[in-house]
Amino acid sequence: MSKKAKSEYKLDRIDFVVLFVSLLIGAILRLIGFDWGRESIYQPDEIWMVAPAIAMASSKRLIWDTFYYPAQSFSKIQALVLMIYSNASGHEISYRSVQEYWICRIITAVAGVVTIYVIFLIGNKLKSRLGTISALLLSVSPHMVCLAKQDTGDVASLFFASLTMLLALKYTEARLYRYLVLMSLTSSMAIMEKWHGGACYGMVAFIILFYSKSVKDFLFREVIALLSFLAGIVAIAPNIVPNFRTAIIDGFLGVAVYDGGQGAGWLNNLRAYLNYGYIHIGGIVLIALIIIGLLVVLAERDKRYTILLLAVIKVVILCMMNRTFPRWALELYFAEIILMAAGILWMWNMRSKLIKVITLALTVITISESISASAVVCASAYYRNQDVRAQQEDYCLQNGISNEKTKSMYYSAFCPGGIRSTGDGNMTSQDLSDILTVDESGKVYKIEEYDYVAYSTRYEKPELINTLDDMNLCVWTGEAEYPDVFGIPFWNGDSSYNDFEMVVNNASAVLDIMNGASIGAYDIYLYNISDISLIN
């Protein structure tokens, strides 16, 4: 690369000031309300990421023999921190302690903040100021803020993916073997955190292909990359060798056939991922800047932008697998932020003063939109006692209603989730057929001796609930006005293509929550069935 090209990426004071501000804002937004959910922990998937860290910290052995997620990379860092915390404080590490969840969430938030620095390096390697703007946009991204408050492995997987992109850029400068090996190793970290992180190696393969001088050169370098990738996997989880069959069949293939997030075809899934780019979808300014940035990148024909193929590879894989988990596609939203920054930078570099003013206005609108949406996330997390699950739990405690006497549907207060996924709670079937039955005359009987049923609207209302409503047995109702941190990524809010309207809607939501509006993923209804006779 020429001296002229190198000088293009020279950073000055404004870059570092914006970086500092971005890191500070990003840390504040990601850490506010990290303890959301009380003791119940309202993100049902967190147990599968926290459990490995707890198990390894308890045994003081960084080996985890389950590969479902596979949760083998970042959990080892969390386990080490838990060990240090336990030794320093005297705290006994336990599956029943909420501190372990909070520590893991804080570490996840830190990974999210460090990713802001990584995008700063990536963008400024591509073009002067591109990383500076990208870092500011990423710091206030509501999607990233929301998921940094949940220990699901997706933020950690993005962190490893961003490192892979950075190292891939380093590789494009001089095709040095050390960067070939390093980007292969970080891609192995990504796949060993979440299986879909394997898309990182797909990007590595494309980078090697586009920068190879011949077929022979490509094959030779690809073999080195593949061996480095596999060696990284074994180094991270050496127990994968004796457990290879379990890891692939129960782990990788288990995720591949899991139907919990299935949509209605790959085209609809693609539309969903694009809509999920920000928590409140619609602002025309945001969409326009992404499109402008994409056109700029295509027009420049700079092969280094090949790193953005990671987003394409990830989304194509997820759509073909028929998945609509927005948090699995964070690389897409990471790439969108870089494209937005490219659009802003292109407009700002135009000579017209009017265009510069317009660019500044559009940037302010976009950042205001993101900050206001992130404020909704933080309000939902901070005012955790307004969660309908927490309110149900309070009502039950005040009225002597116990877990042992309550049959609970998924995502109600006594339902297994988070800490309670380890065994507590009495879950009922979606149609209540395991606890209630109706005879030929239409009379309702209990199959088991329970006094209460907690129904959540996650599922379509079963006929037996309609029957209980007709009998006026509902004693408590918790209707969520706004989603909790778990539900926010799936929430469209009051969507609009009018950016100003979206900012107003977000501000209104924050004020409503601050003034006591209820939050939650689903509505909850509690029924007293104590007087219903037990079937003979």
Side-chain angles (χ1 to χ4, degrees):
M1 187 176 288
S2 67
K3 291 183 179 179
K4 182 178 179 181
K6 283 186 177 180
S7 66
E8 185 180 353
Y9 309 125
K10 185 177 181 180
L11 304 175
D12 55 30
R13 182 177 298 176
I14 186 64
D15 294 295
F16 291 109
V17 169
V18 173
L19 173 62
F20 174 77
V21 171
S22 300
L23 292 172
L24 180 62
I25 294 174
I28 292 171
L29 291 175
R30 285 158 178 75
L31 288 170
I32 289 177
F34 71 87
D35 56 348
W36 66 280
R38 285 198 187 172
E39 300 287 322
S40 303
I41 310 300
Y42 296 147
Q43 167 43 291
D45 290 339
E46 284 186 299
I47 182 63
W48 306 112
M49 308 305 296
V50 177
I54 293 175
M56 288 185 285
S58 299
S59 65
K60 293 181 171 55
R61 181 171 171 264
L62 297 181
I63 295 293
W64 176 245
D65 287 327
T66 300
F67 294 88
Y68 185 72
Y69 269 93
Q72 294 284 342
S73 299
F74 205 66
S75 60
K76 289 179 168 60
I77 299 174
Q78 293 171 325
L80 287 171
V81 174
L82 287 175
M83 289 183 208
I84 295 171
Y85 171 75
S86 177
N87 290 333
S89 65
H91 172 76
E92 183 180 351
I93 298 171
S94 169
Y95 287 99
R96 293 289 188 235
S97 170
V98 75
Q99 283 94 330
E100 282 75 0
Y101 284 80
W102 291 349
I103 290 171
C104 289
R105 284 179 180 177
I106 290 173
I107 299 171
T108 298
V110 170
V113 174
V114 176
T115 305
I116 297 172
Y117 178 61
V118 178
I119 201 174
F120 174 83
L121 297 176
I122 291 172
N124 285 325
K125 265 197 166 300
L126 290 167
K127 186 181 295 184
S128 178
R129 300 282 193 271
L130 181 62
T132 307
I133 300 171
S134 297
L136 184 58
L137 294 174
L138 182 62
S139 71
V140 297
S141 165
H143 209 73
M144 302 297 182
V145 168
C146 179
L147 291 168
K149 298 181 189 296
Q150 309 173 40
D151 185 31
T152 61
D154 300 286
V155 169
S157 183
L158 175 64
F159 168 64
F160 294 129
S162 67
L163 288 178
T164 305
M165 295 170 76
L166 178 61
L167 291 165
L169 274 179
K170 295 289 290 183
Y171 174 78
T172 64
E173 293 174 356
R175 300 190 330 125
L176 297 177
Y177 284 107
R178 64 173 175 266
Y179 293 119
L180 177 73
V181 172
L182 286 173
M183 67 180 177
S184 301
L185 290 176
T186 52
S187 63
S188 67
M189 294 176 187
I191 193 173
M192 291 309 290
E193 182 62 23
K194 298 295 284 282
W195 287 117
H196 53 73
C200 289
Y201 187 76
M203 184 267 292
V204 168
F206 274 107
I207 290 290
I208 296 171
L209 174 63
F210 292 159
Y211 283 85
S212 293
K213 296 180 179 179
S214 64
V215 174
K216 181 179 179 180
D217 182 44
F218 166 69
L219 293 175
F220 180 71
R221 290 173 179 269
E222 183 58 43
V223 168
I224 294 176
L226 181 59
L227 291 176
S228 301
F229 176 68
L230 295 175
I233 290 175
V234 174
I236 293 166
N239 53 320
I240 196 173
V241 177
N243 292 289
F244 180 77
R245 180 179 176 82
T246 301
I248 297 302
I249 295 178
D250 296 339
F252 181 77
L253 295 180
V255 171
V257 301
Y258 174 66
D259 64 356
Q262 284 190 348
W266 73 268
L267 188 58
N268 287 334
N269 290 337
L270 176 61
R271 187 181 300 114
Y273 280 118
L274 293 175
N275 285 341
Y276 286 141
Y278 273 79
I279 289 171
H280 294 149
I281 313 304
I284 195 67
V285 171
L286 183 150
I287 296 171
L289 287 175
I290 292 175
I291 294 174
I292 291 171
L294 178 60
L295 294 175
V296 168
V297 167
L298 293 175
E300 290 183 358
R301 297 184 179 181
D302 187 339
K303 286 198 301 183
R304 295 175 305 157
Y305 284 107
T306 306
I307 62 171
L308 299 183
L309 277 177
L310 174 57
V312 178
I313 295 169
K314 172 63 79 69
V315 173
V316 167
I317 291 173
L318 294 178
C319 288
M320 297 305 292
M321 290 171 61
N322 204 19
R323 293 297 186 277
T324 52
F325 287 117
R327 59 185 170 87
W328 285 14
L330 293 190
E331 292 83 355
L332 170 64
Y333 313 132
F334 188 87
E336 284 182 352
I337 286 171
I338 294 177
L339 293 177
M340 288 169 59
I344 291 170
L345 192 59
W346 178 79
M347 294 180 65
W348 180 258
N349 287 336
M350 297 182 73
R351 294 182 179 180
S352 170
K353 290 184 178 180
L354 177 60
I355 296 298
K356 288 183 182 295
V357 171
I358 293 174
T359 304
L360 183 61
L362 296 182
T363 304
V364 170
I365 290 171
T366 301
I367 292 175
S368 299
E369 187 176 36
S370 295
I371 289 178
S372 64
S374 290
V376 176
V377 176
C378 292
S380 181
Y382 184 78
Y383 293 96
R384 58 190 181 277
N385 289 335
Q386 292 165 212
D387 191 296
V388 291
R389 285 181 62 165
Q391 293 173 358
Q392 182 206 334
E393 196 163 26
D394 289 342
Y395 175 85
C396 290
L397 290 173
Q398 292 167 7
N399 291 274
I401 301 172
S402 67
N403 171 33
E404 291 74 22
K405 287 295 184 180
T406 305
K407 268 288 191 178
S408 302
M409 276 195 175
Y410 183 74
Y411 225 78
S412 57
F414 292 141
C415 163
I419 288 177
R420 290 185 174 134
S421 287
T422 53
D424 290 350
N426 298 303
M427 285 191 72
T428 184
S429 61
Q430 296 180 26
D431 60 2
L432 303 181
S433 60
D434 60 333
I435 183 175
L436 296 172
T437 187
V438 181
D439 66 9
E440 295 180 357
S441 66
K443 187 174 181 179
V444 181
Y445 290 94
K446 287 188 293 189
I447 298 173
E448 297 181 68
E449 188 59 75
Y450 286 93
D451 292 336
Y452 293 89
V453 169
Y455 160 68
S456 83
T457 55
R458 173 183 171 90
Y459 303 109
E460 184 177 348
K461 197 172 186 180
E463 187 58 38
L464 281 168
I465 288 294
N466 290 326
T467 302
L468 296 181
D469 284 333
D470 293 339
M471 298 169 68
N472 294 318
L473 297 181
C474 184
V475 294
W476 181 88
T477 299
E479 296 182 345
E481 299 172 72
Y482 293 97
D484 66 355
V485 175
F486 173 47
I488 278 177
F490 304 92
W491 180 54
N492 287 328
D494 296 322
S495 298
S496 170
Y497 285 106
N498 184 326
D499 295 83
F500 295 102
E501 184 178 350
M502 290 174 64
V503 173
V504 171
N505 290 341
N506 291 337
S508 176
V510 171
L511 291 174
D512 284 348
I513 294 173
M514 291 176 66
N515 289 324
S518 59
I519 58 177
Y522 312 103
D523 299 336
I524 301 175
Y525 299 87
L526 186 67
Y527 295 87
N528 184 343
I529 60 171
S530 59
D531 291 335
I532 295 179
S533 302
L534 189 66
I535 195 168
N536 295 326

